[in-house]
Amino acid sequence: MISGVSPFMSLSAVILGLRGSVGAWSLRGWLSAALGLLLHRRLGEICRRMERMAARFAAGRLWRIGAGEARAPRDAVVADGVRGQAGERIWPLGFGWLMKAASWPAAGFGSQLRAVLETPEMVALLVAAPAAGRVLRPLCRMLAIETSVLRPAGVRDGGGGGEVEVAAVETPKRIRKPRAKVDWGRIPIPRGVMAAVRRRGVVAT
């Protein structure tokens, strides 16, 4: 991490530095031209989304972090370009695939990224906005960083994609009021009904 710089700015610096190196790696043959273009655009999208989250977090607007970012669409460039014209897969899925392709230069960026993610400020952001972990997960995967770094204490990543743990609250039991007994001998009878009964001679007047 860059000394004297906030972790959020350091995160942007690491991602942008990695993005700038992608073109050189494509020229050296470490990455194909198509994969280099996709990776370059994907890293730019990750950087922009994390900068927006960090700005909201720093401004104290935590209530807006989470659902809105979680519903953000996937990078259309990556989604549309996963496969080439011949049908072969362009975007790798293996753990640490960029480390294997670019070797030690990618390892340097991975070490810097891990150091930034373990700072108290980034841990607080990940706890407040679990969606940030989902944004960073592809980047961590390609740089061989275990995703457990993105789930600090207080965050659980279940089927819904990760939520801040909330203490369980016991649901109060519903108390039913006892039913009042009906005294059928005291039920008032409408006048019309009694008049009809008297006319028929059922009840003596």
Side-chain angles (χ1 to χ4, degrees):
M1 187 179 69
I2 304 175
S3 60
V5 180
S6 71
F8 305 133
M9 294 182 64
S10 297
L11 177 64
S12 298
V14 172
I15 298 176
L16 292 177
L18 177 60
R19 190 187 189 205
S21 301
V22 167
W25 296 347
S26 300
L27 294 176
R28 294 182 182 182
W30 296 347
L31 301 174
S32 64
L35 177 58
L37 178 61
L38 290 175
L39 182 56
H40 186 270
R41 297 186 178 182
R42 181 68 179 268
L43 292 173
E45 177 64 21
I46 292 175
C47 186
R48 286 189 294 272
R49 292 182 64 183
M50 288 307 303
E51 286 178 346
R52 289 197 299 267
M53 284 191 178
R56 294 176 184 177
F57 177 73
R61 295 160 58 189
L62 300 182
W63 62 276
R64 292 190 178 183
I65 298 181
E69 293 291 347
R71 291 194 298 266
R74 293 182 57 194
D75 188 356
V77 177
V78 175
D80 295 339
V82 171
R83 297 187 181 277
Q85 295 180 355
E88 72 278 6
R89 177 174 291 278
I90 297 176
W91 190 263
L93 298 177
F95 182 76
W97 64 266
L98 188 58
M99 296 273 288
K100 297 175 183 178
S103 188
W104 62 267
F109 286 107
S111 177
Q112 296 178 44
L113 177 61
R114 187 181 187 92
V116 172
L117 294 178
E118 291 178 347
T119 59
E121 293 85 353
M122 281 302 305
V123 171
L125 172 60
L126 292 171
V127 172
R134 295 192 290 273
V135 174
L136 292 171
R137 188 172 294 130
L139 180 58
C140 290
R141 184 175 181 82
M142 68 179 71
L143 292 175
I145 299 176
E146 294 291 343
T147 55
S148 58
V149 177
L150 303 177
R151 295 194 297 271
V155 174
R156 56 183 173 85
D157 191 11
E163 299 175 355
V164 177
E165 282 193 353
V166 179
V169 178
E170 184 179 357
T171 304
K173 295 182 179 180
R174 187 176 179 181
I175 302 176
R176 295 184 177 181
K177 295 181 179 180
R179 294 182 179 181
K181 295 183 179 180
V182 180
D183 188 354
W184 296 102
R186 296 185 178 182
I187 295 180
I189 301 176
R191 295 181 180 179
V193 175
M194 290 300 299
V197 172
R198 289 191 182 97
R199 284 197 298 270
R200 294 176 178 272
V202 179
V203 179
T205 58

